[in-house]
Amino acid sequence: MRPSYTCNRCLSLIKGSRPQLRPSPALRIAPQTFSQRNHSTCKAPAQPKLSLPKRSITTTAKREFGGAFEPYEYIDPEGHKRKLVLTEDNLFHSFTNSPIPEIRKRAAFMRQHAYCPHPDHKPTRTPNNSSDLEARKDSESGTPPAHVDFECPDCGIPVYCCEEHWADDYEAHLEVCDLLRQSNEDDHDLRSGRFFKEFQFAEPQIEEILTNMSSWDTYLYTRDFDALNKDREMRQATKLLTYPMTIASVVNELSPYTLRGKRMTPEGLKSFGALRHSLHPPRSGGGDSWKNARLAPPSVRIFVLGARAESSLPRDTWMQLAYLFHRVQFSLHFIGPESMANRENEFPLPERTPNNPFGAVVEDRISNAMKISTFVEYYHTMHKTGYFYPYDPYFDLFVCFHPGFGNPASMHEWEETLPLLLETKCPIIATGYSPDDTVQDVELLRTRYGNEMDMLLEPGENIFRSLRWDLNDMDPHDTTCSNWGLYAFRGKRYEAAKKEKEEEVHSERTE
């Protein structure tokens, strides 16, 4: 309890309520003399005016480092020389002040092309969906559009034209701020120069070891991957593995998509059952000697249409697909005008000759279980020539990663291709960047081709989607995820029903 004979000023000096003010030894007062002093003459020493620290706008805790980090070179476990530019605890930087030149160039691109999403501006495009921030703008009373210029201090990405609009619309920005910061750190991590142990994928296993495909964790564990104990390592690894695993999770006999889960339809079970019959052949007793020679079935053809980034993935990534299916050969065909983007120096495009009419880049020495061919051409052009004819539902599969069937900017590219795909009667697996993108594509398919197709796999979230989120440089608030949504369809098959003879005789008698 506070003594009644001590004034507030003296008590504050005794308790040290203001530790930053240390009185000189000449002004220190012994506690035992307070009862003998006259409180009317008790004056506190002159205190200097304190300059309070300026309050930061951001609520993100700042890390304090002992000194500036100096990049250095080192030898990674594989024997290659690398230069470490950023450490794990120093990955967050604003795009404009990033130590990585590529990210600074990306920030300049965003300032030139991305527009401020504040509702005070006029719209610059048609909203993609109801949750699009562009839908809040008014074309009559709004101000002229403005490019983004202000970087959010919490995510480090240019998102608004000025600080006032960022503060006024902060509630809407909070919905994606954490994802943008995560994407910021992941982009810096990719260019930090560290050794990525998560990109050392698992080797082949014996056929008797079954792979659990219920989730990413069970798959990586049963496939004997090195332990990925950090979330960032999982995000970087699944960014690559999502492409082959999305295909494998649907066509494998241990697929997590079943009739009980209400995702696989009866028609889908028929189509994928035919593929699984070829992907999981019975043991034929064949061997490496001529005495046990057996006829090998034809390779399973996978046509990846509209190929972009997936065609340039490391071939070890696509080999993970072959490791799940023993005694089967795959032939991957990447088809699309952007299938060789940024790879001209690696594989110069060959000339188109009578033996190679479409200038295919063939990689046939990857493995005896996989052959990869790349065609810089539209699929409908090749289909009309009969280049891949005939098609067999037991050995052929079409895949479209983020095709944008219903996107107004890309839907015209699929007008000729979709009817031809439905004619093949082969299953078609497609994915979407986000829930809205997936719904948009499925609605267009059902509207235009509802009477000509069967849904094999109902649309929904992909179990093997990428765990890493990416941002759109043209619209920073548009966060996307590789292969978030997953669905499958094919052309409708009309099966003739055989009529019994007894029914025909009975109908004639009644007449």
Side-chain angles (χ1 to χ4, degrees), residues 404-446:
F405 294 141
N407 193 329
S410 60
M411 60 189 307
H412 65 279
E413 298 181 355
W414 296 96
E415 290 182 356
E416 296 185 48
T417 303
L418 283 174
L420 300 177
L421 288 180
L422 297 177
E423 289 180 3
T424 62
K425 309 302 181 184
C426 296
I428 306 165
I429 299 175
T431 63
Y433 277 120
S434 61
D436 296 329
D437 182 45
T438 305
V439 172
Q440 187 181 47
D441 292 350
V442 174
E443 287 182 353
L444 180 132
L445 291 174
R446 288 176 172 170

Side-chain angles (χ1 to χ4, degrees), residues 244-255:
M245 284 308 303
T246 297
I247 301 174
S249 64
V250 179
V251 300
N252 194 282
E253 63 180 359
L254 302 177
S255 171

